[in-house]
Amino acid sequence: MTMNIKKVGYNFYALFILILITETFSAHTPGEFVPTARRAQYHGTRTTWHDVLGRHCPRFAMDRTVVMPILRPVGFIGNEEYKLSLAFEGERFVTQWLPLIPAISKEDKYFEPSMIRIILTHDRQHIRGVSASLQDLPAGYDSLHAPELHQLNNATHWPKHVLLQYTWNPLVEVDQVQGMNFLLGTGVFMMASMLYIVSSMYNEKISVLVNELADDDDVNEEKTD
């Protein structure tokens, strides 16, 4: 029983240290590039993750729009659906599959290009959530990025380019007093857990010691009588 409690205690603190390390290394400063990767799905296959260049990555807490090139994938025969997925901070946040290029029939050779909008939710130093969706192009983008958009409808032209709009949404700041209360409560909980584990480990030894002292008192009383 004592060994099981000890093992649970060690697992608890190992998990706490792991969470602390993860939070520390995932912290960002405003304007810092967020590591990003992409992969594709087409022709019934999926590619591996490919790192995105820094100039096409989001920058922490900064809204921006970039034009990301996509090289011709191996085995892509054209006139078929091409989907894209993005990942941030390794694979900590992964978007769903986004149909960037639809399957085009011979009759319908043109489709309206869309823009990928990525919404990143954050607090002061960390990303807390990511969502992505296809959006209609804002007014003026069709003329501003006309060459890139035209390339999407040209089956033989590669690399193609996709518009990525990064939008950052800050979380509501937690009141400082509430934050201090949370930290204090966490500390008290950890201290209580440690005391419980220690007492459980040495409870048997303490009981033996108390019994030995009681036996000594009984012996002394008999001698006195």
Side-chain angles (χ1 to χ4, degrees), residues 16-28 32 92 125-126 128:
F16 176 78
I17 295 300
L18 178 63
I19 294 174
L20 183 63
I21 293 174
T22 302
E23 287 292 296
T24 301
F25 282 95
S26 63
H28 298 283
E32 179 183 358
R92 188 178 183 187
Q125 294 181 310
H126 302 89
R128 297 305 182 187

mmCIF file of all heavy atoms in Angstrom, residues 16-28 32 92 125-126 128:
data_model
loop_
_atom_site.group_PDB
_atom_site.id
_atom_site.type_symbol
_atom_site.label_atom_id
_atom_site.label_comp_id
_atom_site.label_asym_id
_atom_site.label_seq_id
_atom_site.Cartn_x
_atom_site.Cartn_y
_atom_site.Cartn_z
ATOM 1 N N PHE A 16 3.506 17.187 -13.060
ATOM 2 C CA PHE A 16 3.561 18.625 -12.790
ATOM 3 C C PHE A 16 4.806 19.257 -13.416
ATOM 4 O O PHE A 16 4.734 20.324 -14.035
ATOM 5 C CB PHE A 16 3.548 18.867 -11.279
ATOM 6 C CG PHE A 16 3.692 20.317 -10.893
ATOM 7 C CD1 PHE A 16 2.621 21.189 -10.976
ATOM 8 C CD2 PHE A 16 4.920 20.813 -10.459
ATOM 9 C CE1 PHE A 16 2.754 22.523 -10.637
ATOM 10 C CE2 PHE A 16 5.058 22.144 -10.110
ATOM 11 C CZ PHE A 16 3.982 22.998 -10.199
ATOM 12 N N ILE A 17 5.961 18.593 -13.273
ATOM 13 C CA ILE A 17 7.208 19.111 -13.854
ATOM 14 C C ILE A 17 7.122 19.126 -15.377
ATOM 15 O O ILE A 17 7.579 20.073 -16.032
ATOM 16 C CB ILE A 17 8.405 18.265 -13.392
ATOM 17 C CG1 ILE A 17 8.605 18.411 -11.875
ATOM 18 C CG2 ILE A 17 9.680 18.677 -14.116
ATOM 19 C CD1 ILE A 17 8.886 19.838 -11.419
ATOM 20 N N LEU A 18 6.511 18.091 -15.965
ATOM 21 C CA LEU A 18 6.374 18.038 -17.425
ATOM 22 C C LEU A 18 5.520 19.179 -17.935
ATOM 23 O O LEU A 18 5.850 19.822 -18.942
ATOM 24 C CB LEU A 18 5.769 16.688 -17.831
ATOM 25 C CG LEU A 18 5.522 16.490 -19.335
ATOM 26 C CD1 LEU A 18 6.838 16.543 -20.089
ATOM 27 C CD2 LEU A 18 4.828 15.153 -19.583
ATOM 28 N N ILE A 19 4.404 19.461 -17.250
ATOM 29 C CA ILE A 19 3.535 20.574 -17.641
ATOM 30 C C ILE A 19 4.277 21.893 -17.515
ATOM 31 O O ILE A 19 4.181 22.779 -18.382
ATOM 32 C CB ILE A 19 2.253 20.582 -16.781
ATOM 33 C CG1 ILE A 19 1.412 19.347 -17.087
ATOM 34 C CG2 ILE A 19 1.439 21.850 -17.041
ATOM 35 C CD1 ILE A 19 0.201 19.204 -16.191
ATOM 36 N N LEU A 20 5.044 22.045 -16.441
ATOM 37 C CA LEU A 20 5.805 23.277 -16.224
ATOM 38 C C LEU A 20 6.830 23.487 -17.331
ATOM 39 O O LEU A 20 6.985 24.602 -17.849
ATOM 40 C CB LEU A 20 6.489 23.221 -14.855
ATOM 41 C CG LEU A 20 7.284 24.462 -14.436
ATOM 42 C CD1 LEU A 20 6.356 25.663 -14.323
ATOM 43 C CD2 LEU A 20 7.994 24.226 -13.117
ATOM 44 N N ILE A 21 7.533 22.428 -17.722
ATOM 45 C CA ILE A 21 8.541 22.536 -18.789
ATOM 46 C C ILE A 21 7.879 22.874 -20.116
ATOM 47 O O ILE A 21 8.363 23.713 -20.885
ATOM 48 C CB ILE A 21 9.342 21.222 -18.892
ATOM 49 C CG1 ILE A 21 10.204 21.023 -17.633
ATOM 50 C CG2 ILE A 21 10.232 21.226 -20.137
ATOM 51 C CD1 ILE A 21 10.917 19.691 -17.600
ATOM 52 N N THR A 22 6.735 22.224 -20.402
ATOM 53 C CA THR A 22 6.022 22.484 -21.651
ATOM 54 C C THR A 22 5.577 23.932 -21.744
ATOM 55 O O THR A 22 5.714 24.584 -22.788
ATOM 56 C CB THR A 22 4.799 21.551 -21.766
ATOM 57 O OG1 THR A 22 5.239 20.187 -21.709
ATOM 58 C CG2 THR A 22 4.068 21.796 -23.082
ATOM 59 N N GLU A 23 5.043 24.457 -20.643
ATOM 60 C CA GLU A 23 4.591 25.843 -20.620
ATOM 61 C C GLU A 23 5.763 26.797 -20.814
ATOM 62 O O GLU A 23 5.660 27.814 -21.492
ATOM 63 C CB GLU A 23 3.878 26.136 -19.296
ATOM 64 C CG GLU A 23 2.504 25.508 -19.188
ATOM 65 C CD GLU A 23 1.512 26.144 -20.153
ATOM 66 O OE1 GLU A 23 1.209 27.341 -20.010
ATOM 67 O OE2 GLU A 23 1.052 25.434 -21.068
ATOM 68 N N THR A 24 6.917 26.447 -20.234
ATOM 69 C CA THR A 24 8.089 27.324 -20.332
ATOM 70 C C THR A 24 8.612 27.393 -21.748
ATOM 71 O O THR A 24 8.889 28.472 -22.292
ATOM 72 C CB THR A 24 9.193 26.835 -19.381
ATOM 73 O OG1 THR A 24 8.691 26.842 -18.036
ATOM 74 C CG2 THR A 24 10.416 27.741 -19.465
ATOM 75 N N PHE A 25 8.749 26.237 -22.409
ATOM 76 C CA PHE A 25 9.334 26.209 -23.743
ATOM 77 C C PHE A 25 8.346 26.646 -24.828
ATOM 78 O O PHE A 25 8.758 26.928 -25.944
ATOM 79 C CB PHE A 25 9.865 24.806 -24.052
ATOM 80 C CG PHE A 25 11.186 24.507 -23.409
ATOM 81 C CD1 PHE A 25 11.244 23.855 -22.194
ATOM 82 C CD2 PHE A 25 12.374 24.904 -24.001
ATOM 83 C CE1 PHE A 25 12.461 23.586 -21.587
ATOM 84 C CE2 PHE A 25 13.594 24.645 -23.415
ATOM 85 C CZ PHE A 25 13.645 23.973 -22.191
ATOM 86 N N SER A 26 7.060 26.682 -24.523
ATOM 87 C CA SER A 26 6.078 27.137 -25.510
ATOM 88 C C SER A 26 5.758 28.621 -25.356
ATOM 89 O O SER A 26 4.899 29.140 -26.052
ATOM 90 C CB SER A 26 4.782 26.326 -25.381
ATOM 91 O OG SER A 26 4.180 26.534 -24.118
ATOM 92 N N ALA A 27 6.462 29.303 -24.450
ATOM 93 C CA ALA A 27 6.223 30.728 -24.242
ATOM 94 C C ALA A 27 6.775 31.528 -25.419
ATOM 95 O O ALA A 27 7.818 31.203 -25.986
ATOM 96 C CB ALA A 27 6.878 31.184 -22.942
ATOM 97 N N HIS A 28 6.061 32.587 -25.812
ATOM 98 C CA HIS A 28 6.453 33.433 -26.935
ATOM 99 C C HIS A 28 6.509 34.893 -26.498
ATOM 100 O O HIS A 28 5.876 35.298 -25.516
ATOM 101 C CB HIS A 28 5.455 33.302 -28.097
ATOM 102 C CG HIS A 28 5.366 31.923 -28.678
ATOM 103 N ND1 HIS A 28 6.309 31.409 -29.536
ATOM 104 C CD2 HIS A 28 4.436 30.942 -28.514
ATOM 105 C CE1 HIS A 28 5.961 30.182 -29.889
ATOM 106 N NE2 HIS A 28 4.831 29.872 -29.276
ATOM 107 N N GLU A 32 7.394 37.231 -32.295
ATOM 108 C CA GLU A 32 8.222 36.042 -32.514
ATOM 109 C C GLU A 32 7.542 35.096 -33.501
ATOM 110 O O GLU A 32 6.327 34.912 -33.472
ATOM 111 C CB GLU A 32 8.459 35.327 -31.188
ATOM 112 C CG GLU A 32 9.289 34.050 -31.299
ATOM 113 C CD GLU A 32 9.439 33.353 -29.965
ATOM 114 O OE1 GLU A 32 8.927 33.879 -28.960
ATOM 115 O OE2 GLU A 32 10.063 32.274 -29.926
ATOM 116 N N ARG A 92 1.240 20.413 -31.854
ATOM 117 C CA ARG A 92 0.408 20.727 -30.699
ATOM 118 C C ARG A 92 -0.960 21.253 -31.124
ATOM 119 O O ARG A 92 -1.976 20.963 -30.495
ATOM 120 C CB ARG A 92 1.127 21.759 -29.827
ATOM 121 C CG ARG A 92 0.443 22.018 -28.499
ATOM 122 C CD ARG A 92 1.213 23.004 -27.666
ATOM 123 N NE ARG A 92 0.591 23.200 -26.364
ATOM 124 C CZ ARG A 92 0.979 24.116 -25.473
ATOM 125 N NH1 ARG A 92 1.993 24.903 -25.747
ATOM 126 N NH2 ARG A 92 0.355 24.229 -24.325
ATOM 127 N N GLN A 125 1.708 34.913 -23.248
ATOM 128 C CA GLN A 125 2.898 34.272 -23.802
ATOM 129 C C GLN A 125 2.629 32.961 -24.529
ATOM 130 O O GLN A 125 3.548 32.409 -25.135
ATOM 131 C CB GLN A 125 3.920 34.002 -22.680
ATOM 132 C CG GLN A 125 4.515 35.248 -22.050
ATOM 133 C CD GLN A 125 5.532 34.898 -20.983
ATOM 134 O OE1 GLN A 125 5.281 34.092 -20.090
ATOM 135 N NE2 GLN A 125 6.712 35.495 -21.080
ATOM 136 N N HIS A 126 1.407 32.451 -24.495
ATOM 137 C CA HIS A 126 1.151 31.123 -25.027
ATOM 138 C C HIS A 126 -0.032 31.114 -25.990
ATOM 139 O O HIS A 126 -0.973 31.882 -25.843
ATOM 140 C CB HIS A 126 0.874 30.138 -23.889
ATOM 141 C CG HIS A 126 1.973 30.022 -22.891
ATOM 142 N ND1 HIS A 126 2.054 30.822 -21.781
ATOM 143 C CD2 HIS A 126 3.051 29.206 -22.850
ATOM 144 C CE1 HIS A 126 3.127 30.502 -21.079
ATOM 145 N NE2 HIS A 126 3.748 29.527 -21.709
ATOM 146 N N ARG A 128 -3.287 29.270 -27.096
ATOM 147 C CA ARG A 128 -4.244 28.429 -26.388
ATOM 148 C C ARG A 128 -5.215 27.715 -27.316
ATOM 149 O O ARG A 128 -5.897 26.776 -26.891
ATOM 150 C CB ARG A 128 -5.037 29.292 -25.388
ATOM 151 C CG ARG A 128 -4.186 29.909 -24.293
ATOM 152 C CD ARG A 128 -3.398 28.863 -23.541
ATOM 153 N NE ARG A 128 -2.607 29.424 -22.456
ATOM 154 C CZ ARG A 128 -1.735 28.734 -21.733
ATOM 155 N NH1 ARG A 128 -1.531 27.453 -22.017
ATOM 156 N NH2 ARG A 128 -1.057 29.317 -20.754
#
